[in-house]
Amino acid sequence: MQPNHDGRTMKTPTLTYPQRAAETDCLLFDLDGTLVDSGEGIMRSAQYALAHFGIPVADYRDLRFFVGPPLEDSFKDFYGFSELQAQEAVMKYRERYFAKGIYEQRPYPGVTDFLDAVKRAGYTTAIATSKMKRMADQVVGELFPELGQRMDYVFGRDDEGTLHTKADVINDGLRQMGVTDRGRLLMVGDRKFDIIGARACGLRSIGVLYGFGDRQELEEAGATWICESFEEIRQVTGA
Protein backbone atom coordinates (compact mmCIF):
# COMPACT_ATOMS: atom_id res chain seq x y z
CA MET A 1 0.00 0.00 0.00
CA GLN A 2 1.36 3.40 -0.92
CA PRO A 3 0.58 6.68 0.85
CA ASN A 4 -1.29 9.28 -1.17
CA HIS A 5 1.17 12.13 -0.67
CA ASP A 6 2.56 14.11 -3.59
CA GLY A 7 6.28 14.03 -2.82
CA ARG A 8 6.92 17.69 -3.71
CA THR A 9 10.54 18.79 -3.78
CA MET A 10 11.84 21.72 -1.78
CA LYS A 11 12.43 25.12 -3.36
CA THR A 12 14.69 27.66 -1.74
CA PRO A 13 14.68 31.02 -3.59
CA THR A 14 16.09 34.16 -2.03
CA LEU A 15 13.83 35.65 0.63
CA THR A 16 12.78 39.25 1.07
CA TYR A 17 11.35 40.97 4.12
CA PRO A 18 8.60 43.51 3.37
CA GLN A 19 8.34 44.31 7.07
CA ARG A 20 9.76 43.25 10.40
CA ALA A 21 7.78 41.50 13.11
CA ALA A 22 7.38 44.70 15.12
CA GLU A 23 5.88 44.74 18.62
CA THR A 24 6.53 41.02 19.08
CA ASP A 25 7.82 39.77 22.42
CA CYS A 26 7.03 36.03 22.49
CA LEU A 27 8.05 33.25 20.11
CA LEU A 28 6.30 29.88 20.06
CA PHE A 29 8.41 27.14 18.50
CA ASP A 30 7.41 23.84 17.03
CA LEU A 31 9.83 21.12 18.20
CA ASP A 32 10.25 18.42 15.54
CA GLY A 33 11.79 19.88 12.38
CA THR A 34 12.14 23.35 13.90
CA LEU A 35 14.45 23.05 16.90
CA VAL A 36 15.32 19.35 16.66
CA ASP A 37 16.08 17.17 13.65
CA SER A 38 13.99 14.23 14.81
CA GLY A 39 13.02 12.81 11.44
CA GLU A 40 14.94 9.55 11.57
CA GLY A 41 13.45 8.38 14.85
CA ILE A 42 9.92 9.36 13.84
CA MET A 43 10.12 7.82 10.37
CA ARG A 44 11.78 4.58 11.50
CA SER A 45 9.17 4.17 14.24
CA ALA A 46 6.36 4.76 11.74
CA GLN A 47 8.00 2.18 9.45
CA TYR A 48 8.01 -0.28 12.37
CA ALA A 49 4.32 0.36 13.11
CA LEU A 50 3.31 -0.09 9.47
CA ALA A 51 5.23 -3.39 9.28
CA HIS A 52 3.05 -4.63 12.14
CA PHE A 53 0.08 -4.24 9.77
CA GLY A 54 1.86 -5.97 6.89
CA ILE A 55 2.68 -2.72 5.09
CA PRO A 56 6.35 -2.76 4.07
CA VAL A 57 8.19 0.52 3.52
CA ALA A 58 11.64 -0.17 2.09
CA ASP A 59 13.08 3.30 2.75
CA TYR A 60 12.01 4.97 5.99
CA ARG A 61 12.76 8.36 4.43
CA ASP A 62 9.62 7.94 2.31
CA LEU A 63 7.67 8.55 5.53
CA ARG A 64 8.72 12.16 6.12
CA PHE A 65 5.07 13.22 6.07
CA PHE A 66 4.80 11.64 9.54
CA VAL A 67 6.87 14.51 10.96
CA GLY A 68 4.51 17.23 12.13
CA PRO A 69 0.88 16.11 12.50
CA PRO A 70 -0.57 13.95 15.28
CA LEU A 71 0.45 10.34 14.62
CA GLU A 72 -3.05 8.91 14.53
CA ASP A 73 -4.04 11.45 11.89
CA SER A 74 -1.19 10.34 9.62
CA PHE A 75 -2.11 6.66 9.90
CA LYS A 76 -5.73 7.49 9.06
CA ASP A 77 -5.10 10.10 6.38
CA PHE A 78 -2.33 8.36 4.45
CA TYR A 79 -3.16 4.68 5.00
CA GLY A 80 -6.91 4.67 5.58
CA PHE A 81 -6.70 3.23 9.09
CA SER A 82 -9.81 3.12 11.24
CA GLU A 83 -9.78 4.83 14.63
CA LEU A 84 -9.01 1.53 16.37
CA GLN A 85 -6.27 0.66 13.87
CA ALA A 86 -4.73 4.11 14.27
CA GLN A 87 -4.67 3.72 18.05
CA GLU A 88 -2.99 0.32 17.69
CA ALA A 89 -0.50 1.78 15.21
CA VAL A 90 0.39 4.57 17.64
CA MET A 91 1.00 1.97 20.36
CA LYS A 92 3.36 0.05 18.04
CA TYR A 93 5.05 3.30 17.03
CA ARG A 94 5.71 4.20 20.65
CA GLU A 95 7.00 0.70 21.34
CA ARG A 96 9.95 1.40 19.07
CA TYR A 97 10.14 5.15 19.63
CA PHE A 98 10.73 4.91 23.37
CA ALA A 99 13.24 2.08 22.91
CA LYS A 100 15.23 3.58 20.01
CA GLY A 101 13.57 6.41 18.12
CA ILE A 102 13.83 9.03 20.82
CA TYR A 103 17.62 8.71 20.62
CA GLU A 104 17.67 9.08 16.80
CA GLN A 105 17.44 12.84 16.90
CA ARG A 106 19.66 15.85 17.50
CA PRO A 107 19.27 19.61 17.89
CA TYR A 108 19.88 21.56 14.69
CA PRO A 109 23.38 23.06 14.47
CA GLY A 110 23.40 26.61 15.81
CA VAL A 111 20.07 26.35 17.61
CA THR A 112 21.44 27.20 21.07
CA ASP A 113 23.26 30.27 19.76
CA PHE A 114 20.05 31.31 18.03
CA LEU A 115 17.98 30.86 21.18
CA ASP A 116 20.57 32.78 23.20
CA ALA A 117 20.21 35.69 20.76
CA VAL A 118 16.43 35.49 21.06
CA LYS A 119 16.63 35.60 24.85
CA ARG A 120 19.10 38.50 24.78
CA ALA A 121 16.61 40.38 22.62
CA GLY A 122 14.07 40.04 25.45
CA TYR A 123 11.75 37.43 23.96
CA THR A 124 9.68 35.01 25.99
CA THR A 125 10.19 31.55 24.47
CA ALA A 126 7.87 28.55 24.41
CA ILE A 127 7.52 25.22 22.64
CA ALA A 128 4.12 24.34 21.17
CA THR A 129 4.32 20.80 19.77
CA SER A 130 1.98 18.08 18.55
CA LYS A 131 4.02 15.65 20.64
CA MET A 132 2.52 14.53 23.91
CA LYS A 133 3.70 16.99 26.54
CA ARG A 134 5.38 14.28 28.60
CA MET A 135 7.37 13.26 25.52
CA ALA A 136 8.34 16.86 24.76
CA ASP A 137 9.43 17.31 28.39
CA GLN A 138 11.63 14.24 28.07
CA VAL A 139 13.23 15.53 24.87
CA VAL A 140 14.04 19.04 26.09
CA GLY A 141 14.42 18.19 29.77
CA GLU A 142 16.42 14.98 29.74
CA LEU A 143 17.91 14.46 26.26
CA PHE A 144 18.63 18.07 25.34
CA PRO A 145 18.54 20.18 28.51
CA GLU A 146 20.35 22.92 26.60
CA LEU A 147 17.01 23.49 24.85
CA GLY A 148 14.85 23.23 27.95
CA GLN A 149 17.05 25.75 29.76
CA ARG A 150 16.30 28.29 27.05
CA MET A 151 12.50 27.81 27.15
CA ASP A 152 10.10 29.56 29.47
CA TYR A 153 7.25 27.16 28.68
CA VAL A 154 6.68 23.78 27.03
CA PHE A 155 3.19 23.03 25.68
CA GLY A 156 2.05 19.79 24.06
CA ARG A 157 -0.85 17.40 23.68
CA ASP A 158 -2.39 15.95 26.84
CA ASP A 159 -2.90 12.32 27.78
CA GLU A 160 -6.66 12.87 28.16
CA GLY A 161 -7.05 13.69 24.46
CA THR A 162 -8.63 17.11 24.95
CA LEU A 163 -5.77 18.80 23.06
CA HIS A 164 -5.42 17.31 19.60
CA THR A 165 -4.65 19.90 16.92
CA LYS A 166 -1.81 22.41 16.91
CA ALA A 167 -4.43 25.12 17.45
CA ASP A 168 -5.61 23.30 20.59
CA VAL A 169 -2.05 23.24 21.92
CA ILE A 170 -1.42 26.89 21.07
CA ASN A 171 -4.68 28.09 22.61
CA ASP A 172 -3.98 26.12 25.78
CA GLY A 173 -0.50 27.67 25.93
CA LEU A 174 -1.87 31.18 25.50
CA ARG A 175 -4.33 30.50 28.31
CA GLN A 176 -1.56 29.28 30.62
CA MET A 177 0.59 32.31 29.80
CA GLY A 178 -2.32 34.69 30.37
CA VAL A 179 -1.95 36.26 26.92
CA THR A 180 -4.31 39.14 26.17
CA ASP A 181 -2.67 40.59 23.04
CA ARG A 182 -2.14 37.86 20.46
CA GLY A 183 -0.51 40.30 18.09
CA ARG A 184 2.60 40.16 20.25
CA LEU A 185 3.28 36.48 19.54
CA LEU A 186 4.76 34.60 16.57
CA MET A 187 4.56 30.87 15.82
CA VAL A 188 7.68 29.35 14.23
CA GLY A 189 7.35 25.97 12.53
CA ASP A 190 8.31 23.84 9.54
CA ARG A 191 4.96 22.30 8.52
CA LYS A 192 1.59 23.59 7.39
CA PHE A 193 0.06 22.37 10.65
CA ASP A 194 2.07 25.00 12.54
CA ILE A 195 0.97 27.77 10.21
CA ILE A 196 -2.69 26.70 10.09
CA GLY A 197 -2.72 26.37 13.88
CA ALA A 198 -1.24 29.83 14.29
CA ARG A 199 -3.79 31.40 11.93
CA ALA A 200 -6.66 29.66 13.75
CA CYS A 201 -5.42 31.26 16.97
CA GLY A 202 -4.98 34.73 15.48
CA LEU A 203 -1.17 34.62 15.42
CA ARG A 204 1.32 35.56 12.75
CA SER A 205 3.80 32.88 11.78
CA ILE A 206 7.25 32.10 10.40
CA GLY A 207 7.58 29.00 8.25
CA VAL A 208 11.08 27.49 8.10
CA LEU A 209 12.51 25.64 5.12
CA TYR A 210 15.29 23.64 6.82
CA GLY A 211 12.80 21.19 8.35
CA PHE A 212 10.28 18.82 6.77
CA GLY A 213 7.97 21.14 4.85
CA ASP A 214 8.61 23.08 1.66
CA ARG A 215 7.92 26.58 0.40
CA GLN A 216 4.74 25.68 -1.49
CA GLU A 217 3.24 23.99 1.57
CA LEU A 218 4.06 26.94 3.83
CA GLU A 219 2.85 29.56 1.35
CA GLU A 220 -0.42 27.74 0.76
CA ALA A 221 -0.95 27.47 4.53
CA GLY A 222 -0.54 31.26 4.81
CA ALA A 223 2.79 31.78 6.56
CA THR A 224 3.43 35.47 7.28
CA TRP A 225 7.17 35.02 6.63
CA ILE A 226 9.23 32.13 5.26
CA CYS A 227 12.85 31.71 6.37
CA GLU A 228 15.64 29.39 5.31
CA SER A 229 17.78 29.61 8.45
CA PHE A 230 18.03 30.75 12.04
CA GLU A 231 19.81 33.85 10.81
CA GLU A 232 16.82 34.78 8.66
CA ILE A 233 14.49 34.26 11.61
CA ARG A 234 16.67 36.71 13.52
CA GLN A 235 16.32 39.21 10.67
CA VAL A 236 12.53 38.97 10.87
CA THR A 237 12.37 39.17 14.66
CA GLY A 238 15.25 41.60 15.21
CA ALA A 239 16.87 39.14 17.63
Side-chain angles (χ1 to χ4, degrees):
M1 186 183 300
Q2 293 297 321
N4 59 349
H5 63 101
D6 55 18
R8 290 193 299 262
T9 57
M10 290 182 62
K11 305 179 207 175
T12 56
T14 302
L15 301 176
T16 58
Y17 300 99
Q19 58 180 1
R20 294 294 191 269
E23 302 302 320
T24 303
D25 53 25
C26 180
L27 296 180
L28 300 175
F29 294 98
D30 175 47
L31 182 58
D32 297 318
T34 302
L35 300 177
V36 174
D37 183 358
S38 53
E40 181 177 353
I42 292 172
M43 292 183 283
R44 285 189 183 276
S45 298
Q47 181 187 45
Y48 174 85
L50 290 168
H52 172 73
F53 288 88
I55 304 172
V57 179
D59 188 343
Y60 73 87
R61 290 168 294 189
D62 290 337
L63 299 175
R64 61 186 292 120
F65 52 87
F66 270 90
V67 184
L71 288 170
E72 52 268 50
D73 290 355
S74 293
F75 286 115
K76 290 188 286 188
D77 293 345
F78 294 107
Y79 289 93
F81 281 16
S82 67
E83 183 65 35
L84 287 177
Q85 287 175 317
Q87 292 176 10
E88 183 179 352
V90 170
M91 290 178 60
K92 295 303 293 185
Y93 170 98
R94 290 177 178 163
E95 183 176 285
R96 185 194 183 278
Y97 181 80
F98 284 116
K100 296 181 179 180
I102 196 169
Y103 305 108
E104 295 168 329
Q105 59 181 319
R106 61 205 60 81
Y108 281 111
V111 67
T112 55
D113 289 342
F114 162 71
L115 291 174
D116 284 342
V118 166
K119 297 303 290 182
R120 284 195 301 270
Y123 279 95
T124 297
T125 54
I127 288 172
T129 176
S130 290
K131 264 183 162 44
M132 306 300 289
K133 183 172 187 303
R134 55 187 168 81
M135 296 169 67
D137 286 338
Q138 184 176 2
V139 171
V140 302
E142 299 176 22
L143 291 182
F144 309 122
E146 66 271 26
L147 297 182
Q149 292 162 4
R150 291 166 170 83
M151 289 294 148
D152 298 302
Y153 303 92
V154 177
F155 306 119
R157 296 172 63 202
D158 60 337
D159 290 322
E160 294 73 29
T162 60
L163 306 176
H164 182 74
T165 67
K166 181 56 70 82
D168 292 337
V169 173
I170 293 172
N171 271 324
D172 183 65
L174 301 184
R175 178 189 60 78
Q176 292 187 51
M177 290 190 292
V179 171
T180 57
D181 182 358
R182 298 190 176 206
R184 304 189 71 86
L185 292 90
L186 276 177
M187 179 72 209
V188 183
D190 69 310
R191 294 298 312 278
K192 64 182 179 181
F193 312 99
D194 305 308
I195 309 306
I196 292 169
R199 291 184 66 191
C201 296
L203 307 185
R204 294 172 297 168
S205 60
I206 297 175
V208 300
L209 292 174
Y210 56 78
F212 293 87
D214 62 27
R215 177 175 289 276
Q216 182 176 342
E217 173 182 327
L218 296 170
E219 286 181 344
E220 290 176 352
T224 315
W225 294 272
I226 298 178
C227 296
E228 296 180 351
S229 65
F230 291 131
E231 179 57 35
E232 290 188 343
I233 300 173
R234 291 184 62 185
Q235 290 180 46
V236 169
T237 60

